[in-house]
Every structure is written in C-alpha cells, then in structure tokens.
Amino acid sequence: MSSAPEPGPARPRNLAVRLGVAVTVFLAVAMSCLYIAYLPIMGASGRSRASPERVANEARVQVLALCDAVQAFRDEHGDYVPIAPYPAPVPRHGEGVPFPQDHEDFHRIGFDPGPIVHLQYEVRAEESPVGEPEVSCLARVDEDGDGLNAVYRVRLDANGMTSPVEVEREGE
C-alpha cells in the first residue's frame, strides 16, 4: 500500500512563500510610488539643471511678475522698495537654488517666484536727473558659468507702465 503525502504540511510552507512574495511585491510597488512622488522634489533641490530655454522663459515671466509686484506695492503704499540682489551668488549652469518664502523684502511686496529659482532677482529704485523715480526689475543668470551674467530687465516709468523685457548677453 502506498501512502499519499498529506497536504497538511505543504500548505503552511506554500502560504508562507505566497505571503513573502506578496509582501515583497507590495514593498516594491510602494517604494516605486514614493520614488515617483518625490522625484520632482529631489530634482528641485539644486541637483537638477534647467535648459537654457526654460531659464530664459522663467526670467521673462518672473521679471515681469517682479515689476508688477513692485508697482502694486507702490500703488498701495506710495513708494518703491529697492531690493538687494538675491540669491547671492548668481545661480550658474541653470542650477536650481532655494528661494526662501519668508525673504523680508520680496515677501513685503508680494513677489513669490517659487521655492526653487534659477535666477537672481533685484529691484533698483533711483531718482532720474529730473526728479522722477527710475525703477528697474532685474533677473540674472550665469548660464555657462564663465562669470558673465545674462541680465533680464524691465523698467517702470513714472506712470507705472512697464517696458518690454530687455535682455543683455542672453545665453551667458
């Protein structure tokens, strides 16, 4: 008489293998989802580089937004606010750098370029020879790392009208 193997002992081992495979697959999927979810944040931490086209577009959009914020502040409070260049030094090679959301001067005028920027921003408020305020909103980047900055500038006239974006040394 031949005895058939009893199915009892094989089941717990089979169940343990299945459970182990299921846990491994679940962990692999969970880790993949976390990696995908945090990839933009990790890339934005300064390790990623933006293309020259993206930096140029960011510069044009943000320098206009900066001038809009400066003019809105003047409309509400009656004066222009000069703001020293920030971040220092000028970002290079399209690298993203952190921009604090609590920077006192930029926060006061309501300018928020985002948590990561590829440009340095500045507001110059000077008096013209005839006594009119001359305001320039600037964005700078050193695209190729040679020490020469591309400068994007928008000027505000006495009536609060903005000039077109002026660009010096784009691609530098």
Side-chain angles (χ1 to χ4, degrees):
M1 200 181 208
S2 74
S3 65
E6 292 185 25
R11 280 195 178 146
R13 200 173 337 154
N14 194 14
L15 180 61
V17 170
R18 287 182 183 177
L19 184 60
V21 169
V23 168
T24 303
V25 168
F26 173 77
L27 288 175
V29 169
M31 294 302 286
S32 297
C33 289
L34 284 173
Y35 180 77
I36 291 168
Y38 285 101
L39 186 62
I41 295 169
M42 291 185 307
S45 67
R47 294 183 193 99
S48 68
R49 291 185 182 199
S51 69
E53 295 82 20
R54 180 175 168 206
V55 172
N57 288 337
E58 179 182 338
R60 285 177 169 79
V61 168
Q62 294 294 1
V63 78
L64 284 168
L66 178 58
C67 264
D68 286 345
V70 168
Q71 185 58 41
F73 183 86
R74 179 185 183 232
D75 291 344
E76 189 173 329
H77 297 91
D79 60 343
Y80 289 111
V81 177
I83 301 175
Y86 193 85
V90 173
R92 296 178 149 200
H93 303 291
E95 297 256 351
V97 296
F99 192 89
Q101 301 304 303
D102 60 349
H103 185 282
E104 183 178 335
D105 292 329
F106 288 111
H107 182 71
R108 182 168 47 155
I109 66 169
F111 177 66
D112 179 14
I116 302 296
V117 296
H118 300 94
L119 302 140
Q120 178 189 71
Y121 299 100
E122 177 184 7
V123 177
R124 288 186 190 162
E126 303 167 344
E127 190 173 307
S128 74
V130 295
E132 298 279 330
E134 289 183 354
V135 178
S136 295
C137 302
L138 302 131
R140 294 182 194 85
V141 65
D142 184 359
E143 194 64 45
D144 57 9
D146 66 355
L148 295 174
N149 299 328
V151 180
Y152 298 80
R153 175 184 317 215
V154 173
R155 298 175 195 269
L156 285 169
D157 68 14
N159 298 320
M161 301 298 293
T162 58
S163 71
V165 177
E166 303 167 15
V167 183
E168 299 173 21
R169 297 185 296 275
E170 189 168 29
E172 282 294 330

